[in-house]
Amino acid sequence: MKLFDYLRMALPDLTPGTTKVHLAQMNDHKEDPLVKFREEVFDDWQCRQKRLEFSRKYVVSLIRIPRTETWLFAGAFQQKGNAGKKTYSNRDEMYYQYYLQKIPETEEYVGRMYISFKNTARNFIRRGESIQNELIVSAISPVRMSFGEFPGYRHIVLDRNSIGAILRLNLESWRTALSMVKGIYVLTDRDGGKLYVGKADGREGIWARWEYYFGSGHGGNIGLKEAFDTGDEKRLQNITFAILEVVDPNADDGEINRRESHWKQILLSREFGHNRN
């Protein structure tokens, strides 16, 4: 079924001709709308626009799932005007501040409905009628997308933005699980396919290592400094983080070092990756 068929069942006036579709994805400032959605600040975030793009009665917001042609339905809104141009944060740029009011009739689909769509235009705010036949509902999940409870050590694959969001939200189940274990982790540099294997052996385990990596961008490691200590935030967005092995918090340093060396040998991260020892 097409997206607008669903929306018109909820609100008959919500038609392609009355709507602008916001195709939200990573912007020039490396702000990820999917992370904003999980942090529950997406609605406010999208109200700031550089141009007067939201010129119709309604705005339908979709968020791209990275590296796919799938989009998450983030809500439908009625456009109630704007407050003119204002500065935002510490940036020199000016933004229009829109007033967008949620449409309650569509809230049951927010964070649960997924849309298939390939955006072939450079513009990420489109007129509804120009793409109405291409917006196809591909799935409706029974569960709203969120970070939720800690999923288990074996199921973690996170990018930098997601790690930052979890740290900022200080999610209790994540912090508890990651602070109580030491472990061996791998960083994947998607830009060149290189790996970095490291260990988390401090007092607060893997959680503390996350904090250090997020703050510094390299965790103090020589190989990662060479690759990422440039101040280029775009470069840092290419890293994903996963846990290879958890270790008992009472394990001695010798055991943790041996497990780290084991994984470096298996993954060839010295020969072809960012490890230097």
Side-chain angles (χ1 to χ4, degrees):
M1 183 177 282
K2 297 174 184 176
L3 172 62
F4 276 101
D5 292 336
Y6 267 92
L7 298 179
R8 279 181 295 197
M9 286 192 296
L11 187 68
D13 189 41
L14 212 171
T15 65
T18 61
T19 303
K20 284 289 189 80
V21 180
H22 182 199
L23 300 165
Q25 61 182 57
M26 189 90 70
N27 63 18
D28 293 339
H29 298 283
K30 291 301 172 185
E31 295 173 325
D32 187 342
L34 197 59
V35 172
K36 299 294 183 184
F37 181 84
R38 284 168 161 161
E39 292 179 321
E40 299 185 356
V41 297
F42 173 81
D43 294 358
D44 291 335
W45 178 80
Q46 75 162 346
C47 285
R48 295 183 289 268
Q49 296 292 326
K50 290 183 180 180
R51 292 177 289 275
L52 289 169
E53 295 279 13
F54 294 157
S55 56
R56 291 184 171 179
K57 184 176 181 179
Y58 299 113
V59 175
V60 169
S61 300
L62 307 178
I63 301 174
R64 187 176 185 180
I65 306 300
R67 297 178 295 282
T68 75
E69 303 299 340
T70 299
W71 304 73
L72 178 72
F73 176 65
F77 306 82
Q78 186 171 353
Q79 192 258 116
K80 296 285 190 176
N82 68 80
K85 276 194 168 182
K86 298 182 178 182
T87 56
Y88 169 52
S89 188
N90 297 321
R91 301 173 191 167
D92 296 330
E93 300 166 295
M94 302 285 287
Y95 293 79
Y96 289 99
Q97 181 70 36
Y98 275 93
Y99 301 117
L100 299 179
Q101 185 179 77
K102 282 185 176 181
I103 297 174
E105 292 87 344
T106 65
E107 280 298 290
E108 65 175 298
Y109 301 123
V110 171
R112 300 197 302 117
M113 185 159 63
Y114 294 85
I115 314 301
S116 294
F117 172 66
K118 185 175 183 178
N119 189 25
T120 56
R122 296 182 65 183
N123 188 7
F124 291 99
I125 298 179
R126 307 284 300 275
R127 292 176 298 160
E129 67 271 21
S130 69
I131 57 175
Q132 61 175 315
N133 293 323
E134 302 171 59
L135 299 171
I136 307 299
V137 176
S138 58
I140 298 180
S141 171
V143 180
R144 179 185 172 103
M145 176 178 280
S146 67
F147 281 115
E149 294 297 304
F150 181 71
Y153 303 107
R154 293 181 297 174
H155 301 292
I156 292 177
V157 181
L158 295 171
D159 60 19
R160 176 175 168 81
N161 286 326
S162 296
I163 288 175
I166 291 168
L167 291 171
R168 286 192 296 273
L169 292 170
N170 197 27
L171 297 177
E172 184 177 356
S173 66
W174 288 75
R175 178 162 195 151
T176 299
L178 295 169
S179 297
M180 64 187 297
V181 297
K182 300 176 181 180
I184 312 301
Y185 58 85
V186 60
L187 299 180
T188 302
D189 178 5
R190 296 195 305 268
D191 191 39
K194 292 185 176 182
L195 304 178
Y196 176 87
V197 173
K199 62 183 178 182
D201 56 1
R203 287 181 57 192
E204 291 191 47
I206 294 171
W207 179 269
R209 202 64 182 143
W210 274 19
E211 288 185 310
Y212 189 22
Y213 270 112
F214 188 79
S216 66
H218 50 69
N221 298 294
I222 296 174
L224 295 183
K225 280 185 176 181
E226 293 174 0
F228 300 105
D229 193 17
T230 62
D232 183 0
E233 185 64 25
K234 292 181 180 179
R235 186 76 177 87
L236 290 171
Q237 299 303 322
N238 290 321
I239 298 175
T240 57
F241 181 100
I243 295 174
L244 294 172
E245 180 179 350
V246 294
V247 180
D248 188 295
N250 297 316
D252 61 43
D253 291 344
E255 174 62 15
I256 296 173
N257 291 338
R258 284 191 292 274
R259 297 309 300 163
E260 180 189 25
S261 180
H262 168 78
W263 283 107
K264 288 177 181 178
Q265 183 177 358
I266 288 177
L267 297 177
L268 302 176
S269 62
R270 296 186 184 99
E271 293 86 343
F272 303 107
H274 289 305
N275 284 108
R276 294 291 177 268
N277 61 3

